């Protein structure tokens, strides 16, 4: 089973700053199946990025994803107030999903 | 607009059963794999189970294998999760998700399942 480890657990930043979130896999992951989600309190997760670096429709370009193999990164170039949330990475293999533990981006 | 609406959550005692439903609209349900993901209070997301678009293949997390059964009715555009022998540690919000090929593109609002004596 592939384990995804996200770091840091909490990121304390201010609006306008850059956020860099890491997702490390215990073994190599197919980049085509690495996704990122955003979750705000009391809400369902929201799909942001698939295939490691492709934003889905409607996601602003301040969100970007990168990486391959075992190391992946979600970058938010300039934090807006609505970006403060928990972010999860997720991978898919053999018809099963695995999520990372999440990174909380807080003010 | 794609919508996923869960129902069937509630409070049950350990050892009891519950069935969740997820009705999907605004998309050709029969074309997509579907998954269930749960989130215990204050915790992260955990995948539970998945089912192929035609129902011919299913997958489960080890923690629910043998107790939970995923199924679907493509004529009704509805996904199900039958949960038997429920344990306190199954307490969580359960989300259904539509797999678009690279990620869970769309999510339901969640159904709270509480297992407590």
């Amino acid at each position: 089973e592939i384990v995804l480890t996200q770091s840091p657990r909490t990121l304390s930043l201010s609006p306008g700053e850059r956020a860099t979130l890491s997702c490390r896999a215990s073994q190599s992951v197919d980049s085509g199946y690495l996704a990122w989600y955003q979750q705000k309190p009391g809400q369902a997760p929201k799909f942001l990025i698939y295939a490691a670096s492709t934003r889905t429709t409607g996601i602003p370009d301040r969100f970007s994803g990168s990486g391959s193999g075992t190391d992946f990164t979600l970058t938010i170039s300039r934090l807006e107030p609505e970006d403060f949330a928990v972010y999860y990475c997720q991978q898919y293999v053999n018809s099963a999903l695995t999520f990372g533990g999440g990174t909380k981006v807080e003010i | 607009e794609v919508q996923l609406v869960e129902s069937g959550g509630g409070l049950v005692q350990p050892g009891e059963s519950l069935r969740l439903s997820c009705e999907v609209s605004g998309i050709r349900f029969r074309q997509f794999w579907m998954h269930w993901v749960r989130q215990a209070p204050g915790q992260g997301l955990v995948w539970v189970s998945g089912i192929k678009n035609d129902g011919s293949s299913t997958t489960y997390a080890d923690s629910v294998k043998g107790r939970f059964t995923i199924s679907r009715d493509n004529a009704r555009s509805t996904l199900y999760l039958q949960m038997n022998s429920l344990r306190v540690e199954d307490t969580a919000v359960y989300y259904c998700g539509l797999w678009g090929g690279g990620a869970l593109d769309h999510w339901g609002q969640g159904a709270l399942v509480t297992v407590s004596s």
Side-chain angles (χ1 to χ4, degrees):
Chain A
E1 177 189 342
I2 296 177
V3 176
L4 299 179
T5 302
Q6 291 188 242
S7 61
R9 293 303 303 270
T10 304
L11 201 50
S12 299
L13 294 168
S14 299
E17 290 192 301
R18 181 184 187 92
T20 303
L21 288 65
S22 171
C23 175
R24 180 161 291 178
S26 58
Q27 57 187 282
S28 187
V29 168
D30 183 341
S31 298
Y33 293 124
L34 193 289
W36 289 92
Y37 303 87
Q38 175 194 68
Q39 187 179 33
K40 297 180 180 179
Q43 297 184 17
K46 177 183 176 181
F47 168 40
L48 298 177
I49 285 174
Y50 66 99
S53 61
T54 304
R55 285 186 305 278
T56 191
T57 305
I59 299 305
D61 61 7
R62 64 180 181 273
F63 290 90
S64 64
S66 63
S68 64
T70 60
D71 290 299
F72 298 87
T73 300
L74 175 68
T75 302
I76 310 171
S77 58
R78 293 173 310 280
L79 283 164
E80 296 287 342
E82 62 268 27
D83 299 336
F84 291 91
V86 180
Y87 293 84
Y88 295 93
C89 59
Q90 168 253 300
Q91 68 86 32
Y92 168 93
V93 65
N94 295 331
S95 305
L97 311 181
T98 306
F99 290 90
T103 291
K104 182 179 182 180
V105 178
E106 65 175 21
I107 298 177
Chain B
E1 179 191 4
V2 179
Q3 285 195 314
L4 286 69
V5 179
E6 292 119 343
S7 59
L11 172 63
V12 296
Q13 294 190 342
E16 293 186 339
S17 299
L18 206 58
R19 188 177 83 155
L20 301 181
S21 299
C22 170
E23 186 171 355
V24 179
S25 60
I27 201 167
R28 292 190 178 185
F29 176 74
R30 65 179 65 243
Q31 293 184 344
F32 298 96
W33 272 79
M34 296 291 297
H35 294 268
W36 288 99
V37 175
R38 69 185 182 184
Q39 186 170 36
Q43 303 301 308
L45 303 173
V46 176
W47 174 78
V48 173
S49 181
I51 186 167
K52 193 176 178 180
N53 58 319
D54 62 1
S56 63
S57 178
T58 58
T59 53
Y60 297 93
D62 287 344
S63 59
V64 306
K65 204 172 291 184
R67 299 187 299 123
F68 290 12
T69 302
I70 191 173
S71 63
R72 63 192 295 160
D73 183 341
N74 284 347
R76 297 178 184 271
S77 295
T78 302
L79 174 72
Y80 302 101
L81 185 67
Q82 177 67 42
M83 302 183 292
N84 298 332
S85 303
L86 281 161
R87 305 168 180 168
V88 171
E89 55 265 33
D90 294 319
T91 294
V93 174
Y94 285 74
Y95 296 101
C96 57
L98 184 145
W99 180 257
L104 290 171
D105 292 17
H106 302 281
W107 296 67
Q109 84 284 359
L112 177 61
V113 173
T114 304
V115 185
S116 175
S117 54

